[in-house]
Amino acid sequence: MRSEGYGRRHAPDPQRPALGRRGRHLHRPIGVVMADIEVSMNDLSRGMQHDRDALIRAATLVIDSGYAIHGAQHAAFERELADYLEVSDAVGVASGTDALELAIKAVMPDGRDVVVTAGNAGAYTSTATVRAGYTPRYADVDPDSLCLTAATVAPVLDARVGVVVVTHLYGRMTDLSELRSLCDASGTALIEDCAQAIGAGTPGRRAGSVGHAGTLSFYPTKNLGAIGDGGAVVTTSPEIAARLRQLRQYGWGSKYNATISGGVNSRLDEMQAAFLRVRLPQVDGLNARRREIIARYAAAAANVDPDVMSVLTALDDGHTGHLAAARSTDREAVRARLRAHGVASDVHFPIPDWEQPAFAEYAPSTPLPETVRACSQVFSLPLFPELREDEIAAVCDAIRSLA
Ligand SMILES: Cc1ncc(COP(=O)(O)O)c(C=O)c1O
């Protein structure tokens, strides 16, 4: 796998395994016979090679246009993304975390200051909430969907809560009808974190179109990945979109005149927009391929004791198959056995937000057992659309060996 020059990313990315040159994993169990094949969690070079000519044409268009920021490519991408997700507006920003921060700022009702979220979704919402100047509060997740529901959110709602952020975890669009009603009844805004769920849902009810706003990340490993960082907020409200367009550019109402506070510089650049236009039309097909691979893993696990390992299936179209998530009551032992068969794995996400020192002060006063259980049991198998047949077969063989 190519190294990726992360620029401003200094810490290891949680969605990314520790990889050496050519995808070899740096951490091997000692004293285990290694398999012939090595299947890594991701290999971005394959998708880049697949799209190479179109990406070069897109880059050439940008260079020849003379626009680096907010030119024709960016405008076209915002329109195409909004049309694809069946919303009125898409607002390009610099990352998925910025999308969360700006969406929270754009929808937070006056006089409120708490954002309710889940603690098993990578802490992106906690980061964005604190950056926006508000306080995260955690609700438990449903044991099946691993997402917030109306039943889990209701106990933590009070007059301070202004926003609920629900993450469509691993790419499955979770059912939001009751949660949206609960939020409406309490004057609370609902944001969908769709960073893992672009294209999830059904026509007329796409992930990102049910809440007041939906946020997207175009981080390179995402189902719609840029060649660098990028993100967007989508909404069915032109008023919220107008606020977001101000917030992403210094709070400007017009040039050099900041008319709302909380503005930042967070723009999706023209080159990334051009690359994303190449890839957006491929998303549905690539999501289908991801689902197909997950189905193969699930079939291979059919005879494995579910306590040892079960694969979280992704059968419906409402699922983007972002990650091939699995569960085990003895996760590290199972991961070691898979590794001995040459199969990488990773954990999304191992530490509840409030157990991370940066968010310890927001620790919940009552236990959230399903969140804690998910963080201790769930792990991810290799999954990207360009996985080869021999690699998929090797993962399936490794899973079957657990029976
Ligand atoms: C669920 C979720 N939300 C938000 C983000 C943040 O996106 P970014 O890395 O573009 O800031 C990510 C991934 O990185 C994610 O998986």
Side-chain angles (χ1 to χ4, degrees):
M1 169 159 182
R2 285 181 190 173
S3 94
E4 281 185 50
Y6 280 94
R8 68 188 171 80
R9 265 169 210 276
H10 301 300
D13 187 84
Q15 296 243 38
R16 185 169 301 275
L19 289 171
R21 278 171 53 109
R22 310 187 66 204
R24 294 188 187 284
H25 283 261
L26 302 175
H27 312 296
R28 291 181 166 180
I30 295 161
V32 200
V33 179
M34 300 305 293
D36 295 340
I37 189 166
E38 288 192 32
V39 190
S40 60
M41 288 298 290
N42 218 320
D43 181 350
L44 295 178
S45 69
R46 296 186 199 176
M48 288 193 205
Q49 285 305 314
H50 178 270
D51 296 336
R52 188 176 182 279
D53 294 347
L55 293 170
I56 290 171
R57 276 196 301 275
T60 306
L61 264 181
V62 173
I63 292 163
D64 289 349
S65 78
Y67 276 86
I69 297 278
H70 288 182
Q73 295 299 317
H74 182 266
F77 175 66
E78 284 193 337
R79 189 65 263 141
E80 288 160 8
L81 182 64
D83 290 347
Y84 174 64
L85 294 177
E86 301 174 68
V87 291
S88 65
D89 288 88
V91 179
V93 296
S95 74
T97 309
D98 282 5
L100 283 164
E101 177 189 340
L102 299 190
I104 289 166
K105 285 176 173 170
V107 302
M108 178 66 84
D110 285 343
R112 306 201 190 185
D113 68 341
V114 169
V115 175
V116 169
T117 189
N120 65 331
Y124 305 104
T125 297
S126 297
T127 304
T129 299
V130 172
R131 234 170 52 176
Y134 299 122
T135 301
R137 182 182 294 171
Y138 303 103
D140 210 0
V141 295
D142 175 75
D144 172 39
S145 69
L146 304 178
C147 297
L148 298 181
T149 66
T152 67
V153 168
V156 304
L157 281 186
D158 64 19
R160 283 184 62 190
V161 176
V163 177
V164 173
V165 179
V166 62
T167 303
H168 296 299
L169 202 61
Y170 309 137
R172 177 187 188 183
M173 184 179 176
T174 196
D175 183 0
L176 294 176
S177 37
E178 287 182 19
L179 192 53
R180 175 74 206 232
S181 305
L182 179 71
C183 288
D184 287 347
S186 58
T188 304
L190 179 64
I191 294 175
E192 299 170 69
D193 181 351
C194 307
Q196 304 186 351
I198 185 165
T202 47
R205 205 173 170 79
R206 294 270 170 220
S209 69
V210 180
H212 295 85
T215 60
L216 296 156
S217 163
F218 306 126
Y219 184 73
T221 59
K222 295 292 189 265
N223 293 35
L224 175 59
I227 306 185
D229 274 314
V233 186
V234 297
T235 179
T236 53
S237 159
E239 293 76 35
I240 293 173
R243 218 155 35 242
L244 287 161
R245 291 201 163 91
Q246 284 193 251
L247 287 168
R248 77 175 168 191
Q249 191 149 256
Y250 320 116
W252 281 354
S254 56
K255 205 170 175 190
Y256 306 133
N257 181 22
T259 54
I260 59 173
S261 62
V264 298
N265 171 6
S266 180
R267 295 175 294 222
L268 178 68
D269 67 66
E270 189 70 357
M271 195 68 93
Q272 296 307 334
F275 293 151
L276 290 164
R277 289 188 73 203
V278 169
R279 291 181 155 178
L280 181 60
Q282 302 177 35
V283 166
D284 285 341
L286 296 177
N287 285 357
R289 174 65 174 157
R290 287 170 179 270
R291 284 196 295 273
E292 189 184 308
I293 296 169
I294 294 175
R296 304 259 295 271
Y297 294 167
N303 294 325
V304 178
D305 177 347
D307 275 346
V308 175
M309 180 177 138
S310 61
V311 173
L312 277 53
T313 50
L315 297 177
D316 50 322
D317 284 346
H319 205 306
T320 65
H322 176 60
L323 289 171
R327 265 185 114 131
S328 171
T329 54
D330 197 1
R331 180 169 70 194
E332 290 317 307
V334 166
R335 292 185 66 205
R337 287 171 70 184
L338 295 173
R339 208 176 304 135
H341 283 262
V343 172
S345 63
D346 204 348
V347 178
H348 303 100
F349 297 93
I351 310 174
D353 292 17
W354 66 86
E355 289 184 15
Q356 301 175 34
F359 308 112
E361 66 187 282
Y362 311 112
S365 48
T366 52
L368 303 178
E370 297 302 340
T371 305
V372 172
R373 211 185 329 272
C375 288
S376 69
Q377 294 186 346
V378 176
F379 67 102
S380 312
L381 298 161
L383 180 65
F384 52 101
E386 301 82 14
L387 265 178
R388 295 190 313 262
E389 281 302 314
D390 61 326
E391 292 171 321
I392 297 168
V395 177
C396 290
D397 285 347
I399 293 171
R400 276 190 287 268
S401 78
L402 300 169

